[in-house]
Amino acid sequence: MTKLKLGAIPDDKPVKLSIELPADVHRDLVAYADVLARETGQKNEPAKLVAPMLARFMATDRGFAKVRKDSSRRVTPRGTSPSGGGG
């Protein structure tokens, strides 16, 4: 069995985006969907793979994780202003 970075795709309520992909990226996405279908037995439209691929990419990007962690330390709670006022 091939070791893919994606597994079965969960059925979740989506947010609709409209994007354009370069033709070669679309071809690779279609090919990935075909391989994933053979590996998992779950046939998905290639567009359904974009969100889990992006999520996986961001989850494994150490630079992004560091910036996100550092930024979360500086986030002010909802309902308060950065100056300490109530809002």
Side-chain angles (χ1 to χ4, degrees):
M1 182 145 56
T2 306
K3 178 72 172 150
L4 299 178
K5 290 195 177 224
L6 291 182
I9 307 300
D11 189 18
D12 197 6
K13 183 177 179 182
V15 174
K16 185 139 180 121
L17 295 178
S18 177
I19 63 169
E20 291 184 18
L21 298 174
D24 60 333
V25 172
H26 182 261
R27 282 190 297 271
D28 288 346
L29 189 60
V30 170
Y32 197 103
D34 289 342
V35 172
L36 187 62
R38 286 194 300 268
E39 293 292 319
T40 65
Q42 181 185 30
K43 186 152 176 69
N44 288 292
E45 294 179 33
K48 292 281 263 182
L49 304 182
V50 174
M53 286 178 161
L54 286 172
R56 176 77 172 157
F57 174 82
M58 289 184 288
T60 59
D61 186 311
R62 290 181 179 163
F64 176 67
K66 181 179 181 340
V67 169
R68 192 169 189 190
K69 181 180 176 185
D70 291 345
S71 295
S72 69
R73 291 182 188 152
R74 291 183 228 127
V75 173
T76 57
R78 287 187 177 185
T80 63
S81 68
S83 63

